[in-house]
Amino acid sequence: MSIPKKLHVKTGDTVAVISGANAGKSGKVLACFPKEGRVIVEGVNIITRHTKPRGQQNQGGRIQKEAPIYASKVMLYCDKCKRGVRVGHKVEDGKKVRVCKRCGKTFEA
């Protein structure tokens, strides 16, 4: 049994993609998979899935959706710095918070 990994990004964070075919794009994290070390980012790594119609309600066809990418390929996006930044940690009011390594801005959980 392997120990679950901890990711540097969380669901709802805005991230910037730093490498691969989608380098330079940014988006919101829709889902995190710590065991696999992957994240799904909105509007990044779009794949086309061909599906068959299942029943009356479900229509078949080509569906475009986001596929997971490795978490190591994304950096937390800082609005103040306008780019992907490394994340540090600080204790404020007894709570551990994430901070931007460049400007010191705190990120809300």
Side-chain angles (χ1 to χ4, degrees):
M1 187 169 130
S2 65
I3 299 168
K5 297 174 188 171
K6 195 164 185 169
L7 298 178
H8 63 284
V9 292
K10 298 178 180 181
T11 304
D13 286 345
T14 304
V15 294
V17 181
I18 56 172
S19 69
N22 297 292
K25 291 184 182 179
S26 62
K28 191 175 172 183
V29 176
L30 301 175
C32 293
F33 305 104
K35 284 185 180 177
E36 291 91 38
R38 291 174 171 256
V39 291
I40 294 179
V41 182
E42 188 176 38
V44 174
N45 198 23
I46 302 291
I47 59 165
T48 303
R49 176 104 182 151
H50 295 77
T51 58
K52 281 187 172 183
R54 304 273 184 215
Q56 291 280 357
Q57 266 52 18
N58 299 349
Q59 221 177 8
R62 293 171 23 171
I63 296 171
Q64 291 192 328
K65 63 178 191 173
E66 294 93 357
I69 60 172
Y70 285 111
S72 61
K73 291 187 173 212
V74 299
M75 292 179 89
L76 201 59
Y77 184 83
C78 180
D79 294 328
K80 198 172 176 183
C81 300
K82 302 280 190 249
R83 60 184 280 186
V85 293
R86 290 183 301 153
V87 180
H89 293 87
K90 262 190 196 174
V91 178
E92 290 181 358
D93 302 325
K95 279 193 159 188
K96 190 175 174 184
V97 293
R98 296 178 298 164
V99 294
C100 172
K101 284 276 197 175
R102 280 177 63 93
C103 65
K105 176 190 173 231
T106 60
F107 296 103
E108 301 300 318

